[in-house]
Amino acid sequence: MPRPSKASIIGSPFLETMGLNEERVVADTYPFTLRSIMRGLPLTFTTPVTFLVGENGSGKSTLLEALAWALGFSDQGGDRANSYVDGADGHLLGRALALGWRKRVSGGFFLRAETFFNYARYLEDAGSPFGLYDGIPLNQRSHGEAFLALFQNRFEDGTYLLDEPEAALSPSRQLTFLSVLHDLARTRAAQLIIATHSPILLTLPGARVMSFSDDGIEEVDYRSTEHFRLSRDFLNAPERYFRHLFDADE
């Protein structure tokens, strides 16, 4: 994976704070009804990699999408130069975000697992060189291999927002992705904010884990997250869970 020169590395995290402009908050309107966001902001970013965790519907992906819009990315994914969705009229929460930068950077990418192939198809149709790695278009790879090709070849200086990247990655490929994240964090070449359910990814040394709940957003140790504890306990003794999950008469 190509690495930026030392001269180009200014050191992440570039984005240091994310709060709300109260004048742009629309009361009693989604997503301002999400308690995690209203009670959890402002957030501070102190490490190159920050994980956002929480139950489905807790607000982590909603906040990530709003941040993507505020940074100039399409809410369907991609970078600033390749917006392929017509008629986007903004994002209520994105408009209300107040961002504090240590150093503003223009590079970056917003990855959404569910719309990734729409982006890959757009690149191929547009003849973009960013859609072709090792002579193989992203759209002609498996979902997981396309993800990894993008991760390994595209991530350089910039702010990268990833929504559940593990969705297309097998456990072994998640370990490969951990290596990519480690290299980027070590060189401080990129800032990554990642919404995830993966207990494997959460183990990245030096990353912060921010947990979303109705009480707000708080930093936690990955070992205390339900993602990690439930996965560990289930795999250690799945039969204990089967007694509650399955009908006893079956």
Side-chain angles (χ1 to χ4, degrees):
M1 176 169 124
R3 289 283 179 257
S5 67
K6 290 184 178 180
S8 69
I9 297 175
I10 56 178
S12 67
F14 312 115
L15 177 66
E16 289 189 316
T17 61
M18 175 170 55
L20 285 173
N21 181 338
E22 296 295 338
E23 294 181 354
R24 295 186 175 182
V25 171
V26 184
D28 300 321
T29 301
Y30 184 86
F32 301 107
T33 52
L34 287 169
R35 293 182 179 181
S36 60
I37 293 174
M38 298 308 294
R39 295 177 178 181
L41 295 182
L43 284 181
T44 60
F45 300 98
T46 60
T47 54
V49 180
T50 303
F51 290 113
L52 311 180
V53 301
E55 274 297 332
N56 293 331
S58 62
K60 60 187 186 303
S61 292
T62 299
L63 183 60
L64 195 70
E65 180 183 300
L67 177 58
W69 186 89
L71 296 185
F73 303 128
S74 165
D75 63 2
Q76 294 298 301
D79 60 21
R80 294 179 182 87
N82 293 292
S83 180
Y84 57 95
V85 179
D86 295 329
D89 60 355
H91 191 291
L92 277 179
L93 181 56
R95 292 181 184 276
L97 291 180
L99 307 180
W101 296 85
R102 183 178 64 82
K103 178 73 173 182
R104 185 68 186 253
V105 293
S106 59
F109 194 90
F110 176 39
L111 184 144
R112 296 186 66 183
E114 66 228 52
T115 58
F116 177 72
F117 266 122
N118 294 338
Y119 176 72
R121 186 177 299 111
Y122 162 80
L123 291 180
E124 185 174 6
D125 292 344
S128 171
F130 292 125
L132 191 69
Y133 298 112
D134 298 326
I136 304 174
L138 292 177
N139 246 8
Q140 294 180 22
R141 300 172 184 259
S142 71
H143 206 174
E145 293 303 319
F147 266 40
L148 278 180
L150 182 74
F151 297 151
Q152 293 170 324
N153 291 278
R154 187 72 188 276
F155 285 16
E156 297 177 348
D157 286 12
T159 304
Y160 294 84
L161 312 178
L162 313 180
D163 192 12
E164 300 182 12
E166 73 276 6
L169 300 176
S170 69
S172 65
R173 290 295 188 260
Q174 289 184 45
L175 294 177
T176 301
F177 183 45
L178 265 183
S179 177
V180 174
L181 292 178
H182 172 73
D183 286 347
L184 289 166
R186 177 175 52 82
T187 60
R188 298 174 65 86
Q191 179 175 5
L192 296 104
I193 303 173
I194 305 171
T196 185
H197 293 291
S198 169
I200 293 176
L201 297 186
L202 293 179
T203 66
L204 180 71
R208 292 179 77 204
V209 179
M210 310 301 294
S211 179
F212 284 57
S213 71
D214 282 349
D215 294 327
I217 305 171
E218 63 174 342
E219 182 175 3
V220 298
D221 185 277
Y222 76 86
R223 297 174 186 86
S224 70
T225 63
E226 184 178 14
H227 308 65
F228 181 85
R229 290 187 290 105
L230 183 59
S231 298
R232 177 197 60 200
D233 294 346
F234 177 81
L235 293 174
N236 282 338
E239 64 281 354
R240 288 166 44 196
Y241 289 84
F242 293 161
R243 288 194 289 268
H244 300 284
L245 293 172
F246 305 150
D247 192 317
D249 295 331
E250 290 185 356

